[in-house]
Amino acid sequence: MKKLLAVIPGPTDGTSFYRAVRPLQELEKAGEIEFTIVNNEQDLEWYNLPMYDLVFMQRPSTERDVEIAAICADLNIPVWCDW
């Protein structure tokens, strides 16, 4: 099972729910992934990223999103972006 980190604006806003949370819940239910959600404004330290096989970013648009993507690139962690 793959571990996925979902970096999203907020799990309760409409687009985050139907574009990220709900599809990821279905993948988790099917046994494909195990996922963790973080708000894209929360502190996410680089040393936590190697725990994940994949990082999902919904609507990346902030400097922090760019930093996370750059760290993932340095660590060879694939990034899946949903605009």
Side-chain angles (χ1 to χ4, degrees), residues 25-53:
Q25 286 174 336
E26 290 299 316
L27 286 172
E28 187 173 57
K29 203 183 322 181
E32 300 290 328
I33 63 166
E34 176 183 317
F35 76 98
T36 303
I37 295 175
V38 294
N39 184 295
N40 65 356
E41 295 178 10
Q42 288 176 319
D43 287 334
L44 176 65
E45 301 297 337
W46 68 268
Y47 52 79
N48 289 323
L49 289 171
M51 294 187 319
Y52 300 97
D53 301 306

Side-chain angles (χ1 to χ4, degrees), residues 2-75:
K2 299 286 184 184
K3 290 184 76 174
L4 181 143
L5 177 67
V7 181
I8 63 177
T12 58
D13 77 52
T15 58
S16 291
F17 180 75
Y18 80 83
R19 299 285 297 189
V21 176
R22 188 67 181 138
L24 295 176
Q25 286 174 336
E26 290 299 316
L27 286 172
E28 187 173 57
K29 203 183 322 181
E32 300 290 328
I33 63 166
E34 176 183 317
F35 76 98
T36 303
I37 295 175
V38 294
N39 184 295
N40 65 356
E41 295 178 10
Q42 288 176 319
D43 287 334
L44 176 65
E45 301 297 337
W46 68 268
Y47 52 79
N48 289 323
L49 289 171
M51 294 187 319
Y52 300 97
D53 301 306
L54 172 67
V55 173
F56 171 83
M57 299 181 84
Q58 186 204 3
R59 296 186 313 214
S61 59
T62 66
E63 280 296 316
R64 185 64 180 146
D65 293 329
V66 173
E67 290 172 20
I68 293 169
I71 293 167
C72 288
D74 289 344
L75 296 172

